[in-house]
Amino acid sequence: MFLDQTALAIAAIFIFAGIVKGTVGIGMPTVSVGLMSQFVPPHMAIAIVVFPLLFSNIWQIIRSKVSLKTVLDYWLLIALLVVSLWVTTFFTVQMPAEFLLGVIGTAIVIFATSSLAKSPPKLPNGSNPVAQAVTGISAGILGGLTSIWSPPIVTFLIAKRVENDEFVRAAGLFVFVGAIPLTIGYWQTGLLNGNTAPLSAMMILPTLIGFSLGEIIRRRLQPERFRTVLLWIFLLMGINLLRRAIF
C-alpha cells in the first residue's frame, strides 16, 4: 500500500480532477492519470483511476438524463468501444513502463491540441456508421492502454456538430460504458488488485467532492477561459511524459 503522504497527494489530484470535470465537463482521467504518472508507475496510475472514472460518470449520465434514444443512436460506437477496450486491457499489463508513458503522453498531447484547435470538418452525409466504427475502435485501443479514451470521442462529436446537451449526454455515456470493460479487464489481468483496488475505491469520494466544487465554479467563472488554461497545462504535461518515455 502507498505511504500516507502519497495517498494524500493522489486524493488531492482527484479532487482537482473532479473540479476540472465539474467545471468543463471533460478531462478527469486526463488530469488524474497525467499527474499521477509524474510520480507513480504508469501501470498503477491507470489502475487507480478506474473506480473514480466509473462512479463519476454514473453521476454524470444520471444528471444529463441519458435516454434509450442516445444508446440506439450510437450503438455501433458503443459496441466496438466496449470490445476493443476490453481486448486491449490484456496487452496493457505486458507493456513496458516507458511505452505506457509514451502512449499516455501522446494521448494527452492529442487531447490538448485537438481541443485547442479549431473544430474539425463536419462529417459528410452518410459517413456516420464509418465514423462511429473508427471512433469506437480507436477510442477502445487508446482507453485500454491508458484509461483515457476521450480524444477520438470528442473529435467525433464535434465533427458531428451535436448540440451541447447531446454532447454531454453522449460523452458521459461513452465514458461510462467504456469504464465497465476497463474495470473487468484490469481486474482479470491483475492491474486492479489488492493494492490498487482499495486505493481506487478511496478516490471516489474526493472525485465527487471535486465534481460538486467544479459545478459551483462553473456557475461563477468563465468555464471557457478555465478550460483553455487547463488545456495548455495538459499539453505541457503530455510533453513532459513523452520526454520521460524517450530519455
Side-chain angles (χ1 to χ4, degrees):
M1 183 60 73
F2 286 99
L3 297 174
D4 289 343
Q5 289 183 343
T6 305
L8 288 173
I10 292 174
I13 287 173
F14 276 98
I15 290 174
F16 178 61
I19 288 173
V20 172
K21 184 174 181 61
T23 303
V24 299
I26 56 175
M28 195 282 284
T30 308
V31 173
S32 52
V33 173
L35 287 177
M36 283 191 293
S37 295
Q38 310 291 330
F39 63 93
V40 303
H43 292 88
M44 197 167 291
I46 62 177
I48 294 171
V49 79
V50 167
F51 288 144
L53 184 63
L54 180 63
F55 281 87
S56 64
N57 282 282
I58 290 175
W59 181 246
Q60 181 169 330
I61 64 173
I62 290 173
R63 291 176 67 86
S64 62
K65 299 178 181 179
V66 173
S67 64
L68 180 60
K69 181 181 183 302
T70 305
V71 177
L72 295 176
D73 285 344
Y74 300 104
W75 70 267
L76 180 60
L77 191 159
I78 291 170
L80 292 174
L81 170 66
V82 168
V83 173
S84 59
L85 200 157
W86 177 69
V87 171
T88 304
T89 60
F90 289 91
F91 296 94
T92 304
V93 70
Q94 305 170 18
M95 298 297 178
E98 293 77 13
F99 176 79
L100 282 184
L101 281 176
V103 176
I104 293 169
T106 301
I108 293 174
V109 168
I110 293 173
F111 172 79
T113 53
S114 62
S115 299
L116 286 167
K118 294 181 180 179
S119 297
K122 184 178 180 180
L123 285 180
N125 292 333
S127 64
N128 184 57
V130 174
Q132 285 201 35
V134 172
T135 302
I137 294 172
S138 60
I141 294 172
L142 185 60
L145 289 173
T146 67
S147 298
I148 302 168
W149 58 94
S150 55
I153 286 172
V154 169
T155 302
F156 165 73
L157 291 175
I158 293 175
K160 193 173 170 61
R161 300 295 192 268
V162 300
E163 297 179 353
N164 289 341
D165 289 343
E166 178 65 15
F167 184 98
V168 173
R169 282 194 295 268
L173 175 64
F174 297 153
V175 177
F176 169 69
V177 297
I180 297 173
L182 185 77
T183 304
I184 296 171
Y186 281 1
W187 184 263
Q188 289 176 313
T189 58
L191 281 176
L192 200 60
N193 52 47
N195 286 330
T196 55
L199 186 57
S200 181
M202 288 169 57
M203 295 305 117
I204 296 171
L205 181 59
T207 303
L208 295 180
I209 290 173
F211 188 88
S212 298
L213 293 173
E215 289 184 318
I216 296 172
I217 293 172
R218 185 173 61 198
R219 291 193 290 267
R220 298 189 178 185
L221 298 180
Q222 295 181 339
E224 192 59 34
R225 180 176 298 179
F226 180 71
R227 174 178 174 274
T228 300
V229 172
L230 283 173
L231 288 172
W232 281 107
I233 294 173
F234 290 165
L235 182 58
L236 294 175
M237 189 164 54
I239 291 172
N240 182 55
L241 289 175
L242 288 174
R243 176 194 63 79
R244 289 176 56 197
I246 296 172
F247 300 105

